[in-house]
Amino acid sequence: MGIVETLVHTHDIAQGLNRTWEPPQDLSERVLARLFPDVPVVDTPWSTLLWATGRLETPDRPRRTDWRWHGAPLGRG
């Protein structure tokens, strides 16, 4: 959860400074898989993470206004 917060708030700060910033795609992909397992990756993992956290809308997916991450411990198997 801390990784999501760091990534999206760094994005927010960069936007406020009129800068672009993007983390490594594999990091975004891993965070999505762990905390948003119900969200399919569309376009790129980073843009999907921005969408999943209510920071981006696309023509096919309106901005999310109500979202939660999956924070329960992973099962052992």
Side-chain angles (χ1 to χ4, degrees):
M1 292 177 199
I3 293 171
V4 170
E5 292 293 330
T6 300
L7 296 179
V8 299
H9 289 302
T10 299
H11 166 77
D12 296 342
I13 293 166
Q15 290 286 304
L17 297 171
N18 292 318
R19 303 278 187 234
T20 58
W21 179 83
E22 189 171 311
Q25 292 298 323
D26 65 323
L27 181 58
S28 299
E29 190 170 33
R30 291 191 323 248
V31 168
L32 279 168
R34 174 60 182 93
L35 296 173
F36 298 96
D38 59 324
V39 174
V41 174
V42 175
D43 193 26
T44 67
W46 175 234
S47 66
T48 300
L49 182 60
L50 290 175
W51 177 82
T53 57
R55 285 168 170 78
L56 181 73
E57 66 181 70
T58 69
D60 297 327
R61 298 195 298 183
R63 184 181 305 267
R64 289 178 97 180
T65 58
D66 186 27
W67 58 272
R68 297 184 80 122
W69 49 41
H70 178 76
L74 295 176
R76 295 182 187 216

